C-alpha cells in the first residue's frame, strides 16, 4: 500500500519541534497568535484539516494580529508586488507610485493573492487592484487585506507541507 506523498510533509509538520513549526508558520503569516494556534492544534489528520484550521485562525485575527502580520509583510526582503512582471518602464513607474500611495494611505504594504494570474498579466492585475483599493475607506480595506493575507498564508502553508526531496 502506497502512502500519499503529501502526507509525508504533513507528518514532518505534525512531528516537528513546536518552536520550529511556529517559526515556519510565521513565514506563512506574520501573526504570532495565528502561528501559535496552528502549532498547538497539531497533529492534523490531513492537509485539508490543516488548511481549514489555518483559514479559521485567519478569520479570528484581531486588529492587532492583522497589523502584526501586515507589518511582517513589510519586512519581507522582496521587490514590490508586480515589479518582476514583464511590462513597460512607464507601467513599472506607475506601479511604484501606486505602491507608495497605498502605503501612505493605509500604513502598510499592499497585499493581494495572485494565484492563477498569468505572469504576463501580473503587472496590470496588481496595478488595477491597487488603484481600486486606494478608493476604499480604511475599515473596508482592512477587511480586504485580511482576506488577501488569508489566501496568501494558505498558499504558503500548502508549500510548507509539500514534500521536499
Amino acid at each position: 500500500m502506497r502512502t500519499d506523498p503529501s502526507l509525508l510533509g504533513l507528518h514532518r509538520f505534525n512531528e516537528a519541534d513546536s518552536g520550529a513549526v511556529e517559526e515556519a508558520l510565521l513565514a506563512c503569516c506574520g501573526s504570532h497568535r495565528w502561528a501559535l494556534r496552528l502549532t498547538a492544534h497539531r497533529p492534523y489528520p490531513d492537509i485539508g484539516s490543516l488548511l481549514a484550521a489555518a483559514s479559521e485562525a485567519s478569520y479570528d485575527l484581531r486588529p492587532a494580529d492583522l497589523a502584526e502580520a501586515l507589518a511582517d509583510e513589510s519586512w519581507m526582503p522582496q521587490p514590490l508586488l508586480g515589479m518582476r512582471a514583464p511590462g513597460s518602464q512607464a507601467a513599472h513607474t506607475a506601479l511604484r507610485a501606486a505602491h507608495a500611495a497605498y502605503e501612505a494611505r493605509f500604513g502598510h504594504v499592499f497585499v493581494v493573492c495572485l494565484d492563477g494570474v498569468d505572469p504576463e498579466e501580473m503587472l496590470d492585475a496588481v496595478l488595477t487592484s491597487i488603484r481600486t483599493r486606494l478608493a476604499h475607506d480604511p475599515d473596508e480595506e482592512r477587511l480586504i487585506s485580511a482576506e488577501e493575507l488569508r489566501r496568501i498564508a494558505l498558499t504558503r502553508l500548502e508549500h510548507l507541507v509539500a514534500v521536499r526531496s
Side-chain angles (χ1 to χ4, degrees):
M1 181 171 161
R2 297 186 75 189
T3 301
D4 180 352
S6 63
L7 293 179
L8 295 174
L10 179 63
H11 177 77
R12 286 193 308 266
F13 177 85
N14 282 332
E15 297 299 318
D17 173 72
S18 292
V21 169
E22 184 183 341
E23 281 300 312
L25 287 169
L26 285 170
C28 298
C29 175
S31 163
H32 281 84
R33 184 167 172 258
W34 182 88
L36 286 169
R37 181 172 169 178
L38 289 177
T39 300
H41 287 89
R42 293 178 305 153
Y44 294 95
D46 53 52
I47 292 173
S49 297
L50 171 61
L51 295 175
S55 193
E56 182 181 329
S58 295
Y59 289 127
D60 289 343
L61 291 178
R62 298 176 300 211
D65 302 322
L66 178 59
E68 177 185 34
L70 289 169
D72 187 67
E73 292 294 315
S74 299
W75 290 104
M76 288 196 172
Q78 60 192 13
L80 294 173
L81 195 57
M83 291 306 291
R84 288 187 177 163
S88 68
Q89 184 174 357
H92 282 98
T93 299
L95 184 58
R96 272 197 269 324
H99 273 289
Y102 181 93
E103 203 162 338
R105 175 153 166 67
F106 297 111
H108 59 82
V109 295
F110 176 74
V111 292
V112 65
C113 183
L114 295 169
D115 288 351
V117 176
D118 291 327
E120 304 82 38
E121 298 171 9
M122 196 164 294
L123 191 143
D124 286 339
V126 173
L127 190 54
T128 299
S129 187
I130 290 176
R131 287 178 173 162
T132 299
R133 289 170 54 186
L134 274 167
H136 295 159
D137 67 61
D139 290 335
E140 180 181 18
E141 185 55 26
R142 192 174 305 105
L143 292 174
I144 292 169
S145 294
E147 174 58 17
E148 294 297 324
L149 195 58
R150 183 192 69 79
R151 292 177 60 212
I152 292 166
L154 293 179
T155 298
R156 290 173 179 167
L157 185 55
E158 282 184 291
H159 287 105
L160 175 68
V161 296
V163 176
R164 291 176 178 83
S165 303

